[in-house]
Amino acid sequence: MDRNILVTGGTGFIGSHTVVELLEIGDNVIIVDNLSNSNPSVLEKIEMITGRKPIFYHCDVTDRKALTNVFASHEIHTVIHFAGLKAVAESVAEPLKYYHNNVVGSIILMQVMEQFHVHNLIFSSSATVYGGNNIMPLTEASPTGPVNPYGMTKLAVENICRDLCSSDQNWHIALLRYFNPVGAHVSGLIGEDPLGIPNNLFPIITQVAIGKRDKLFVYGNDYPTQDGTGVRDYIHVVDLALGHIKTLPFVEENPGVHIFNLGTGKGYSVMDVIKAFERVNDLTVPHVISSRRAGDVAECYSNPDKANRILRWNANLGLEDMCRDGWRFQKQITNHKA
Ligand code: NAD
Ligand code: UD1
């Protein structure tokens, strides 16, 4: 396509998979990342997969001067804004750090975009913006009401985007609400490799399976779900990346702010995931039932009809692909580190 796409957070989990898909369709990618939760070796992996190199700036989105320099050096067509902090418990302990990074960072980015007359923006929002007492499945019209500072930062940026579009018709913004991205690129070269102790189910499963952790704690089996364990809408990270590719022409053509759920529409329980992972990869994942985790809901899954219809995007990969690809990546990084 030969557009210049600026990808903030492009060496992170979802960003790196999206960069691969952008390079594969011929776009030029300029990454801005402060490497606070990623490793620069991802850049080599991206080149190994695609045969192409993204341009990389080791830069923080809150650094106006550095960001201005990036925009002055490239004619940017669209910005995909992944850069953000995402650990819920940390956001409760350090709210100012989260508001500064996620909200102030987004404001500075949009101010610099405005300065350079760049008005196409795709923002990484989250299903976490929905309130806890909603009827499933969640549509884009379901009430919002995040229960932690991380979710509040996502909703704050959504509201800023809405106000910005009301004030100036030049802006074209898509707010993508991701459900639970998991899995890895089929090459096994890029995936999710959290620094420190992972918070989410999937990386914990792969780390238990490889022996890095003894066992998985299943947080509650007394929810009003089919088997009593929590139900979520897991989406393969490559499907999610492709959702951004489908959003690019939409955003270019449509002024204003537009919200899309990116999920599969299917809910799987914790036990469904453990069993699928064991079956597909022919191994066992030691686990014990423990008490519920504070702040968890019984079920959270999407109605993705709007994205299916308007973006002509569908999630094509299933739970088995997520388990197989996620495991291939975990083995690859473990061998590499050994
Ligand atoms: P990630 O941590 O792997 O990637 C985020 C990247 O942004 C990292 O490479 C990090 O170094 C970079 N970054 C953070 N703050 C920055 C800053 N101030 N300046 C420059 N770079 C910065 O996370 P991810 O899972 O790829 O998530 C990407 C985005 O999607 C985030 O905004 C996250 O909140 C959102 N999201 C993620 C999930 C999920 O489950 N992974 C779900 C919903 C929404
Ligand atoms: C979490 C975040 C949410 C964020 C989402 C995606 C919390 C409270 N919520 O949601 O804000 O948008 O990640 O990044 O942290 N589970 C276990 N054992 C574990 C880990 C998880 O049983 O060791 C269960 C959970 O109780 C849940 C399911 O697995 O039922 C999925 O958990 P997780 O991967 O953390 O995602 P979310 O709970 O959806």
Side-chain angles (χ1 to χ4, degrees), residues 8-15 32-38 59-62 81-86 101 124-127 150 154 178-181 192 200:
T8 75
T11 49
F13 174 43
I14 308 169
V32 163
D33 201 301
N34 66 1
L35 302 176
S36 61
N37 197 34
S38 56
C59 156
D60 196 298
V61 291
T62 61
H81 182 33
F82 293 104
L85 298 172
K86 60 168 185 176
N101 196 78
S124 296
S125 190
S126 168
Y150 164 66
K154 291 289 163 188
Y178 310 152
F179 280 69
N180 291 57
E192 188 173 19
N200 299 117

Side-chain angles (χ1 to χ4, degrees), residues 208-230:
V208 170
I210 206 90
K212 201 169 164 185
R213 288 173 202 289
D214 289 349
K215 55 180 176 284
L216 167 77
F217 293 94
V218 176
Y219 294 145
N221 66 349
D222 56 353
Y223 284 107
T225 60
Q226 210 179 346
D227 62 20
T229 65

Side-chain angles (χ1 to χ4, degrees), residues 27 128 161 185-186 219 227 301 305:
D27 281 325
T128 201
C161 290
H185 191 263
V186 71
Y219 294 145
D227 62 20
Y301 57 93
D305 287 355

